Amino acid sequence: MRGKFITFEGIDGAGKSTHIQWLADQLTARGKTVVTTREPGGTPLGEKLRALLLAEPMHLETEALLMFAARREHLAEVIEPALAAGTWVISDRFTDATVAYQGGGRGLSLDKLKVLEDWVHGHLQPDLTLLFDLPLAVAQARIGKERILDRFEQEEADFHERVRQCYLQRAGQSNGRIRVVQADRTVDEIKKSIEELISIICL
Ligand SMILES: Nc1ncnc2c1ncn2[C@@H]1O[C@H](COP(=O)(O)OP(=O)(O)O)[C@@H](O)[C@H]1O
Ligand SMILES: Cc1cn([C@H]2C[C@H](O)[C@@H](COP(=O)(O)OP(=O)(O)O)O2)c(=O)[nH]c1=O
Protein backbone atom coordinates (compact mmCIF):
# COMPACT_ATOMS: atom_id res chain seq x y z
CA MET A 1 0.00 0.00 0.00
CA ARG A 2 1.15 3.52 -0.83
CA GLY A 3 2.63 5.53 2.04
CA LYS A 4 1.09 8.74 3.36
CA PHE A 5 2.60 12.18 2.91
CA ILE A 6 2.45 14.48 5.95
CA THR A 7 3.82 18.02 6.02
CA PHE A 8 4.47 20.43 8.89
CA GLU A 9 4.03 24.15 8.32
CA GLY A 10 4.04 27.39 10.29
CA ILE A 11 6.04 30.52 10.96
CA ASP A 12 9.62 30.17 12.20
CA GLY A 13 9.73 29.13 15.86
CA ALA A 14 6.23 27.59 15.83
CA GLY A 15 7.50 24.20 17.09
CA LYS A 16 7.58 22.08 13.93
CA SER A 17 11.01 20.53 14.45
CA THR A 18 10.17 19.73 18.09
CA HIS A 19 7.28 17.47 17.03
CA ILE A 20 8.46 15.87 13.79
CA GLN A 21 10.75 13.19 15.23
CA TRP A 22 8.17 12.45 17.92
CA LEU A 23 5.50 11.84 15.26
CA ALA A 24 7.89 9.65 13.28
CA ASP A 25 8.48 7.56 16.42
CA GLN A 26 4.72 7.28 17.03
CA LEU A 27 4.08 6.07 13.50
CA THR A 28 7.00 3.65 13.64
CA ALA A 29 5.51 2.21 16.83
CA ARG A 30 2.29 1.66 14.85
CA GLY A 31 4.24 -0.42 12.35
CA LYS A 32 4.79 2.19 9.62
CA THR A 33 8.08 2.73 7.85
CA VAL A 34 8.77 6.45 8.08
CA VAL A 35 11.21 8.89 6.54
CA THR A 36 11.61 12.46 7.80
CA THR A 37 12.88 15.18 5.53
CA ARG A 38 12.78 18.94 5.01
CA GLU A 39 12.44 21.77 2.53
CA PRO A 40 14.23 23.51 1.12
CA GLY A 41 16.59 20.54 1.14
CA GLY A 42 16.11 16.82 1.56
CA THR A 43 18.56 15.80 -1.20
CA PRO A 44 22.26 16.61 -1.74
CA LEU A 45 21.39 19.15 -4.46
CA GLY A 46 18.45 20.48 -2.44
CA GLU A 47 20.71 21.11 0.56
CA LYS A 48 23.07 23.13 -1.66
CA LEU A 49 20.11 25.16 -2.90
CA ARG A 50 18.98 25.59 0.73
CA ALA A 51 22.34 27.07 1.69
CA LEU A 52 21.99 29.61 -1.15
CA LEU A 53 18.35 30.36 -0.37
CA LEU A 54 18.95 31.01 3.32
CA ALA A 55 21.99 33.22 2.81
CA GLU A 56 22.18 34.87 -0.64
CA PRO A 57 20.14 37.96 -1.54
CA MET A 58 18.22 37.29 -4.77
CA HIS A 59 15.23 38.41 -6.85
CA LEU A 60 11.99 37.16 -5.36
CA GLU A 61 11.11 35.16 -8.48
CA THR A 62 14.56 33.54 -8.41
CA GLU A 63 13.80 32.60 -4.81
CA ALA A 64 10.46 31.01 -5.73
CA LEU A 65 11.95 29.17 -8.71
CA LEU A 66 14.82 27.77 -6.62
CA MET A 67 12.33 26.61 -3.95
CA PHE A 68 10.47 24.69 -6.65
CA ALA A 69 13.69 23.43 -8.26
CA ALA A 70 14.76 21.96 -4.92
CA ARG A 71 11.24 20.54 -4.51
CA ARG A 72 11.31 18.90 -7.95
CA GLU A 73 14.50 17.09 -6.99
CA HIS A 74 13.09 16.20 -3.57
CA LEU A 75 9.97 14.67 -5.13
CA ALA A 76 11.97 12.69 -7.69
CA GLU A 77 14.69 11.46 -5.37
CA VAL A 78 12.96 11.03 -2.02
CA ILE A 79 9.23 11.67 -1.72
CA GLU A 80 7.76 9.82 -4.69
CA PRO A 81 9.95 6.68 -4.45
CA ALA A 82 9.26 6.45 -0.70
CA LEU A 83 5.48 6.79 -1.05
CA ALA A 84 5.47 4.24 -3.88
CA ALA A 85 7.38 1.79 -1.66
CA GLY A 86 4.80 2.19 1.12
CA THR A 87 6.97 4.44 3.30
CA TRP A 88 5.36 7.36 5.09
CA VAL A 89 7.04 10.71 4.44
CA ILE A 90 7.03 13.56 6.97
CA SER A 91 8.40 16.80 5.55
CA ASP A 92 9.30 19.92 7.51
CA ARG A 93 7.63 22.33 5.00
CA PHE A 94 6.45 21.92 1.39
CA THR A 95 4.58 24.08 -1.16
CA ASP A 96 2.31 25.75 1.43
CA ALA A 97 5.51 27.42 2.69
CA THR A 98 6.23 28.86 -0.75
CA VAL A 99 2.71 30.24 -0.97
CA ALA A 100 2.97 31.70 2.55
CA TYR A 101 6.55 33.09 2.38
CA GLN A 102 7.10 34.01 -1.29
CA GLY A 103 3.39 34.76 -1.91
CA GLY A 104 2.10 36.17 1.39
CA GLY A 105 5.40 37.40 2.79
CA ARG A 106 7.14 38.78 -0.31
CA GLY A 107 4.06 39.50 -2.44
CA LEU A 108 4.75 37.22 -5.43
CA SER A 109 1.61 36.59 -7.48
CA LEU A 110 -0.29 33.53 -6.28
CA ASP A 111 -1.19 32.79 -9.93
CA LYS A 112 2.50 32.38 -10.78
CA LEU A 113 3.00 30.10 -7.79
CA LYS A 114 0.00 28.03 -8.85
CA VAL A 115 1.60 27.49 -12.28
CA LEU A 116 4.75 26.18 -10.59
CA GLU A 117 2.77 24.03 -8.17
CA ASP A 118 0.79 22.44 -11.04
CA TRP A 119 3.99 21.88 -13.00
CA VAL A 120 6.03 20.34 -10.20
CA HIS A 121 3.39 18.28 -8.39
CA GLY A 122 0.00 18.75 -10.04
CA HIS A 123 -0.74 15.09 -9.36
CA LEU A 124 0.34 15.05 -5.71
CA GLN A 125 -0.66 16.89 -2.54
CA PRO A 126 0.13 16.01 1.08
CA ASP A 127 -2.44 13.67 2.66
CA LEU A 128 -2.33 15.85 5.76
CA THR A 129 -0.68 19.17 6.63
CA LEU A 130 -0.28 20.28 10.25
CA LEU A 131 -0.19 24.06 10.40
CA PHE A 132 1.38 25.19 13.67
CA ASP A 133 -0.27 28.51 14.42
CA LEU A 134 0.59 30.91 17.23
CA PRO A 135 1.06 34.64 17.80
CA LEU A 136 4.23 35.99 16.25
CA ALA A 137 5.49 37.37 19.58
CA VAL A 138 5.35 33.90 21.16
CA ALA A 139 7.27 32.32 18.26
CA GLN A 140 9.90 35.06 18.37
CA ALA A 141 10.34 34.74 22.13
CA ARG A 142 10.90 31.00 21.64
CA ILE A 143 13.54 31.49 18.97
CA GLY A 144 15.37 33.71 21.42
CA LYS A 145 18.24 36.06 20.82
CA GLU A 146 21.15 33.64 20.80
CA ARG A 147 20.26 31.83 17.55
CA ILE A 148 21.89 33.10 14.34
CA LEU A 149 18.98 34.16 12.14
CA ASP A 150 18.77 33.17 8.45
CA ARG A 151 17.60 35.48 5.64
CA PHE A 152 13.90 34.75 6.32
CA GLU A 153 14.10 34.90 10.10
CA GLN A 154 15.74 38.34 9.78
CA GLU A 155 12.64 39.77 8.05
CA GLU A 156 10.58 42.34 9.96
CA ALA A 157 7.49 41.45 12.02
CA ASP A 158 5.05 42.53 9.26
CA PHE A 159 6.55 39.95 6.90
CA HIS A 160 5.98 37.12 9.40
CA GLU A 161 2.47 38.38 10.15
CA ARG A 162 1.64 38.25 6.43
CA VAL A 163 3.12 34.73 6.26
CA ARG A 164 0.94 33.66 9.20
CA GLN A 165 -2.25 35.13 7.71
CA CYS A 166 -1.53 33.60 4.30
CA TYR A 167 -1.09 30.16 5.88
CA LEU A 168 -4.42 30.53 7.71
CA GLN A 169 -6.18 31.67 4.55
CA ARG A 170 -4.83 28.71 2.60
CA ALA A 171 -5.88 26.36 5.40
CA GLY A 172 -9.43 27.68 5.08
CA GLN A 173 -9.43 26.89 1.36
CA SER A 174 -7.81 23.45 1.63
CA ASN A 175 -10.90 21.24 2.01
CA GLY A 176 -9.59 19.88 5.30
CA ARG A 177 -6.09 18.96 4.07
CA ILE A 178 -4.47 21.63 6.23
CA ARG A 179 -5.32 21.24 9.93
CA VAL A 180 -4.52 24.12 12.24
CA VAL A 181 -2.68 23.10 15.42
CA GLN A 182 -2.89 25.73 18.17
CA ALA A 183 0.84 25.89 18.88
CA ASP A 184 0.70 28.34 21.80
CA ARG A 185 0.23 25.43 24.23
CA THR A 186 2.42 22.95 26.05
CA VAL A 187 4.28 20.30 24.08
CA ASP A 188 2.10 17.59 25.71
CA GLU A 189 -1.13 19.32 24.66
CA ILE A 190 0.15 19.72 21.11
CA LYS A 191 1.18 16.05 20.93
CA LYS A 192 -2.35 15.06 21.96
CA SER A 193 -3.85 17.17 19.15
CA ILE A 194 -1.43 15.67 16.64
CA GLU A 195 -2.35 12.15 17.74
CA GLU A 196 -6.04 12.90 17.13
CA LEU A 197 -5.39 14.38 13.71
CA ILE A 198 -3.11 11.54 12.66
CA SER A 199 -5.64 8.90 13.63
CA ILE A 200 -7.88 10.29 10.86
CA ILE A 201 -5.44 9.18 8.16
CA CYS A 202 -4.15 6.10 9.98
CA LEU A 203 -7.46 4.29 9.63
N1 LIG B 1 4.97 24.04 22.86
C1 LIG B 1 6.13 24.65 23.14
N2 LIG B 1 6.24 25.38 24.26
C2 LIG B 1 7.40 26.03 24.56
N3 LIG B 1 8.52 25.99 23.78
C3 LIG B 1 8.47 25.26 22.66
C4 LIG B 1 7.29 24.55 22.28
N4 LIG B 1 7.53 23.93 21.09
C5 LIG B 1 8.80 24.22 20.76
N5 LIG B 1 9.38 25.01 21.70
C6 LIG B 1 10.74 25.59 21.67
O1 LIG B 1 10.68 26.69 20.76
C7 LIG B 1 11.85 26.74 19.96
C8 LIG B 1 11.46 26.65 18.48
O2 LIG B 1 10.90 25.36 18.22
P1 LIG B 1 11.19 24.57 16.87
O3 LIG B 1 10.57 23.22 17.02
O4 LIG B 1 12.66 24.64 16.52
O5 LIG B 1 10.36 25.47 15.82
P2 LIG B 1 10.34 25.46 14.24
O6 LIG B 1 10.94 24.15 13.78
O7 LIG B 1 8.88 25.55 13.91
O8 LIG B 1 11.10 26.68 13.80
C9 LIG B 1 12.75 25.60 20.44
O9 LIG B 1 13.66 26.13 21.37
C10 LIG B 1 11.78 24.64 21.12
O10 LIG B 1 12.41 23.91 22.15
C1 LIG C 1 10.16 25.42 1.93
C2 LIG C 1 10.25 26.92 2.04
C3 LIG C 1 10.90 27.52 3.10
N1 LIG C 1 10.99 28.87 3.18
C4 LIG C 1 11.72 29.49 4.31
C5 LIG C 1 11.01 29.41 5.63
C6 LIG C 1 12.11 29.32 6.66
O1 LIG C 1 12.35 30.62 7.17
C7 LIG C 1 13.34 28.88 5.87
C8 LIG C 1 13.95 27.58 6.32
O2 LIG C 1 13.00 26.76 6.83
P1 LIG C 1 13.20 25.90 8.17
O3 LIG C 1 13.90 24.65 7.81
O4 LIG C 1 11.87 25.79 8.81
O5 LIG C 1 14.15 26.78 9.06
P2 LIG C 1 14.78 26.41 10.47
O6 LIG C 1 15.25 25.01 10.44
O7 LIG C 1 15.88 27.44 10.57
O8 LIG C 1 13.66 26.63 11.47
O9 LIG C 1 12.93 28.81 4.50
C9 LIG C 1 10.44 29.69 2.19
O10 LIG C 1 10.55 30.92 2.26
N2 LIG C 1 9.79 29.11 1.13
C10 LIG C 1 9.68 27.75 1.01
O11 LIG C 1 9.10 27.25 0.02
Side-chain angles (χ1 to χ4, degrees), residues 11-13 134-144 157 160-161 164 184:
I11 57 174
D12 297 279
L134 76 179
L136 186 55
V138 179
Q140 288 185 331
R142 283 185 187 171
I143 290 175
H160 295 285
E161 197 52 57
R164 181 186 180 198
D184 185 11

PDB file of all heavy atoms in Angstrom, residues 11-13 134-144 157 160-161 164 184:
ATOM      1  N   ILE A  11       4.985  29.507  10.940  1.00  0.00           N
ATOM      2  CA  ILE A  11       6.040  30.519  10.962  1.00  0.00           C
ATOM      3  C   ILE A  11       7.262  29.961  11.707  1.00  0.00           C
ATOM      4  O   ILE A  11       7.152  28.966  12.441  1.00  0.00           O
ATOM      5  CB  ILE A  11       5.554  31.838  11.607  1.00  0.00           C
ATOM      6  CG1 ILE A  11       5.032  31.609  13.037  1.00  0.00           C
ATOM      7  CG2 ILE A  11       4.478  32.501  10.740  1.00  0.00           C
ATOM      8  CD1 ILE A  11       4.678  32.901  13.774  1.00  0.00           C
ATOM      9  N   ASP A  12       8.387  30.604  11.529  1.00  0.00           N
ATOM     10  CA  ASP A  12       9.617  30.166  12.201  1.00  0.00           C
ATOM     11  C   ASP A  12       9.416  30.216  13.717  1.00  0.00           C
ATOM     12  O   ASP A  12       8.861  31.175  14.241  1.00  0.00           O
ATOM     13  CB  ASP A  12      10.786  31.074  11.795  1.00  0.00           C
ATOM     14  CG  ASP A  12      11.068  30.972  10.307  1.00  0.00           C
ATOM     15  OD1 ASP A  12      11.730  30.017   9.906  1.00  0.00           O
ATOM     16  OD2 ASP A  12      10.588  31.839   9.548  1.00  0.00           O
ATOM     17  N   GLY A  13       9.846  29.168  14.402  1.00  0.00           N
ATOM     18  CA  GLY A  13       9.729  29.125  15.857  1.00  0.00           C
ATOM     19  C   GLY A  13       8.392  28.594  16.359  1.00  0.00           C
ATOM     20  O   GLY A  13       8.113  28.614  17.556  1.00  0.00           O
ATOM     21  N   LEU A 134       0.456  30.235  15.925  1.00  0.00           N
ATOM     22  CA  LEU A 134       0.594  30.908  17.228  1.00  0.00           C
ATOM     23  C   LEU A 134       0.924  32.369  16.989  1.00  0.00           C
ATOM     24  O   LEU A 134       1.339  32.741  15.886  1.00  0.00           O
ATOM     25  CB  LEU A 134       1.684  30.232  18.078  1.00  0.00           C
ATOM     26  CG  LEU A 134       3.165  30.462  17.770  1.00  0.00           C
ATOM     27  CD1 LEU A 134       4.027  29.715  18.762  1.00  0.00           C
ATOM     28  CD2 LEU A 134       3.548  30.113  16.372  1.00  0.00           C
ATOM     29  N   PRO A 135       0.701  33.237  17.989  1.00  0.00           N
ATOM     30  CA  PRO A 135       1.057  34.643  17.796  1.00  0.00           C
ATOM     31  C   PRO A 135       2.554  34.796  17.526  1.00  0.00           C
ATOM     32  O   PRO A 135       3.380  34.082  18.101  1.00  0.00           O
ATOM     33  CB  PRO A 135       0.670  35.291  19.133  1.00  0.00           C
ATOM     34  CG  PRO A 135      -0.325  34.366  19.743  1.00  0.00           C
ATOM     35  CD  PRO A 135       0.085  32.992  19.300  1.00  0.00           C
ATOM     36  N   LEU A 136       2.845  35.744  16.654  1.00  0.00           N
ATOM     37  CA  LEU A 136       4.227  35.989  16.254  1.00  0.00           C
ATOM     38  C   LEU A 136       5.147  36.236  17.456  1.00  0.00           C
ATOM     39  O   LEU A 136       6.264  35.719  17.517  1.00  0.00           O
ATOM     40  CB  LEU A 136       4.206  37.224  15.340  1.00  0.00           C
ATOM     41  CG  LEU A 136       5.478  37.633  14.667  1.00  0.00           C
ATOM     42  CD1 LEU A 136       6.035  36.486  13.876  1.00  0.00           C
ATOM     43  CD2 LEU A 136       5.193  38.832  13.758  1.00  0.00           C
ATOM     44  N   ALA A 137       4.644  37.011  18.429  1.00  0.00           N
ATOM     45  CA  ALA A 137       5.486  37.374  19.580  1.00  0.00           C
ATOM     46  C   ALA A 137       5.909  36.126  20.357  1.00  0.00           C
ATOM     47  O   ALA A 137       7.037  36.052  20.868  1.00  0.00           O
ATOM     48  CB  ALA A 137       4.727  38.328  20.497  1.00  0.00           C
ATOM     49  N   VAL A 138       5.019  35.132  20.423  1.00  0.00           N
ATOM     50  CA  VAL A 138       5.353  33.897  21.156  1.00  0.00           C
ATOM     51  C   VAL A 138       6.435  33.128  20.396  1.00  0.00           C
ATOM     52  O   VAL A 138       7.414  32.645  20.988  1.00  0.00           O
ATOM     53  CB  VAL A 138       4.090  33.017  21.347  1.00  0.00           C
ATOM     54  CG1 VAL A 138       4.433  31.731  22.087  1.00  0.00           C
ATOM     55  CG2 VAL A 138       3.001  33.792  22.080  1.00  0.00           C
ATOM     56  N   ALA A 139       6.275  33.042  19.081  1.00  0.00           N
ATOM     57  CA  ALA A 139       7.275  32.319  18.264  1.00  0.00           C
ATOM     58  C   ALA A 139       8.629  33.008  18.378  1.00  0.00           C
ATOM     59  O   ALA A 139       9.662  32.343  18.524  1.00  0.00           O
ATOM     60  CB  ALA A 139       6.815  32.279  16.807  1.00  0.00           C
ATOM     61  N   GLN A 140       8.624  34.331  18.328  1.00  0.00           N
ATOM     62  CA  GLN A 140       9.899  35.056  18.371  1.00  0.00           C
ATOM     63  C   GLN A 140      10.569  34.932  19.731  1.00  0.00           C
ATOM     64  O   GLN A 140      11.784  34.806  19.819  1.00  0.00           O
ATOM     65  CB  GLN A 140       9.682  36.509  17.949  1.00  0.00           C
ATOM     66  CG  GLN A 140       9.410  36.550  16.443  1.00  0.00           C
ATOM     67  CD  GLN A 140       9.302  37.941  15.865  1.00  0.00           C
ATOM     68  OE1 GLN A 140       8.910  38.866  16.551  1.00  0.00           O
ATOM     69  NE2 GLN A 140       9.625  38.077  14.590  1.00  0.00           N
ATOM     70  N   ALA A 141       9.769  34.915  20.788  1.00  0.00           N
ATOM     71  CA  ALA A 141      10.341  34.740  22.128  1.00  0.00           C
ATOM     72  C   ALA A 141      10.974  33.351  22.246  1.00  0.00           C
ATOM     73  O   ALA A 141      12.017  33.181  22.875  1.00  0.00           O
ATOM     74  CB  ALA A 141       9.254  34.919  23.183  1.00  0.00           C
ATOM     75  N   ARG A 142      10.345  32.364  21.588  1.00  0.00           N
ATOM     76  CA  ARG A 142      10.900  31.002  21.639  1.00  0.00           C
ATOM     77  C   ARG A 142      12.223  30.902  20.898  1.00  0.00           C
ATOM     78  O   ARG A 142      13.132  30.202  21.336  1.00  0.00           O
ATOM     79  CB  ARG A 142       9.915  30.020  21.003  1.00  0.00           C
ATOM     80  CG  ARG A 142       8.753  29.692  21.894  1.00  0.00           C
ATOM     81  CD  ARG A 142       7.930  28.632  21.216  1.00  0.00           C
ATOM     82  NE  ARG A 142       6.683  28.371  21.923  1.00  0.00           N
ATOM     83  CZ  ARG A 142       5.724  27.624  21.448  1.00  0.00           C
ATOM     84  NH1 ARG A 142       5.862  27.064  20.251  1.00  0.00           N
ATOM     85  NH2 ARG A 142       4.630  27.397  22.144  1.00  0.00           N
ATOM     86  N   ILE A 143      12.289  31.562  19.752  1.00  0.00           N
ATOM     87  CA  ILE A 143      13.537  31.486  18.966  1.00  0.00           C
ATOM     88  C   ILE A 143      14.688  32.078  19.785  1.00  0.00           C
ATOM     89  O   ILE A 143      15.805  31.580  19.746  1.00  0.00           O
ATOM     90  CB  ILE A 143      13.371  32.224  17.607  1.00  0.00           C
ATOM     91  CG1 ILE A 143      12.418  31.452  16.697  1.00  0.00           C
ATOM     92  CG2 ILE A 143      14.717  32.381  16.924  1.00  0.00           C
ATOM     93  CD1 ILE A 143      12.102  32.164  15.389  1.00  0.00           C
ATOM     94  N   GLY A 144      14.358  33.141  20.540  1.00  0.00           N
ATOM     95  CA  GLY A 144      15.371  33.712  21.422  1.00  0.00           C
ATOM     96  C   GLY A 144      16.385  34.554  20.678  1.00  0.00           C
ATOM     97  O   GLY A 144      16.342  34.682  19.455  1.00  0.00           O
ATOM     98  N   ALA A 157       8.684  42.101  11.467  1.00  0.00           N
ATOM     99  CA  ALA A 157       7.491  41.449  12.019  1.00  0.00           C
ATOM    100  C   ALA A 157       6.339  41.412  11.010  1.00  0.00           C
ATOM    101  O   ALA A 157       5.631  40.412  10.905  1.00  0.00           O
ATOM    102  CB  ALA A 157       7.052  42.166  13.290  1.00  0.00           C
ATOM    103  N   HIS A 160       6.397  38.377   8.752  1.00  0.00           N
ATOM    104  CA  HIS A 160       5.979  37.124   9.403  1.00  0.00           C
ATOM    105  C   HIS A 160       4.476  37.125   9.673  1.00  0.00           C
ATOM    106  O   HIS A 160       3.837  36.068   9.626  1.00  0.00           O
ATOM    107  CB  HIS A 160       6.786  36.901  10.685  1.00  0.00           C
ATOM    108  CG  HIS A 160       8.243  36.682  10.415  1.00  0.00           C
ATOM    109  ND1 HIS A 160       8.736  35.499   9.911  1.00  0.00           N
ATOM    110  CD2 HIS A 160       9.303  37.507  10.519  1.00  0.00           C
ATOM    111  CE1 HIS A 160      10.035  35.609   9.737  1.00  0.00           C
ATOM    112  NE2 HIS A 160      10.410  36.818  10.101  1.00  0.00           N
ATOM    113  N   GLU A 161       3.924  38.299   9.949  1.00  0.00           N
ATOM    114  CA  GLU A 161       2.469  38.376  10.155  1.00  0.00           C
ATOM    115  C   GLU A 161       1.735  38.061   8.854  1.00  0.00           C
ATOM    116  O   GLU A 161       0.728  37.348   8.852  1.00  0.00           O
ATOM    117  CB  GLU A 161       2.101  39.779  10.686  1.00  0.00           C
ATOM    118  CG  GLU A 161       0.724  39.860  11.312  1.00  0.00           C
ATOM    119  CD  GLU A 161       0.459  38.798  12.380  1.00  0.00           C
ATOM    120  OE1 GLU A 161       1.203  38.698  13.380  1.00  0.00           O
ATOM    121  OE2 GLU A 161      -0.505  38.035  12.186  1.00  0.00           O
ATOM    122  N   ARG A 164       1.904  34.356   8.333  1.00  0.00           N
ATOM    123  CA  ARG A 164       0.939  33.658   9.204  1.00  0.00           C
ATOM    124  C   ARG A 164      -0.476  33.749   8.627  1.00  0.00           C
ATOM    125  O   ARG A 164      -1.189  32.740   8.547  1.00  0.00           O
ATOM    126  CB  ARG A 164       0.982  34.282  10.604  1.00  0.00           C
ATOM    127  CG  ARG A 164       0.041  33.602  11.557  1.00  0.00           C
ATOM    128  CD  ARG A 164      -0.053  34.285  12.907  1.00  0.00           C
ATOM    129  NE  ARG A 164      -0.978  33.560  13.766  1.00  0.00           N
ATOM    130  CZ  ARG A 164      -1.530  34.067  14.850  1.00  0.00           C
ATOM    131  NH1 ARG A 164      -1.240  35.307  15.249  1.00  0.00           N
ATOM    132  NH2 ARG A 164      -2.370  33.346  15.562  1.00  0.00           N
ATOM    133  N   ASP A 184       0.387  27.562  20.596  1.00  0.00           N
ATOM    134  CA  ASP A 184       0.702  28.336  21.797  1.00  0.00           C
ATOM    135  C   ASP A 184       0.218  27.565  23.033  1.00  0.00           C
ATOM    136  O   ASP A 184      -0.542  28.088  23.841  1.00  0.00           O
ATOM    137  CB  ASP A 184      -0.008  29.699  21.679  1.00  0.00           C
ATOM    138  CG  ASP A 184       0.360  30.619  22.825  1.00  0.00           C
ATOM    139  OD1 ASP A 184       1.291  30.292  23.567  1.00  0.00           O
ATOM    140  OD2 ASP A 184      -0.296  31.671  22.967  1.00  0.00           O
TER     141      ASP A 184
END
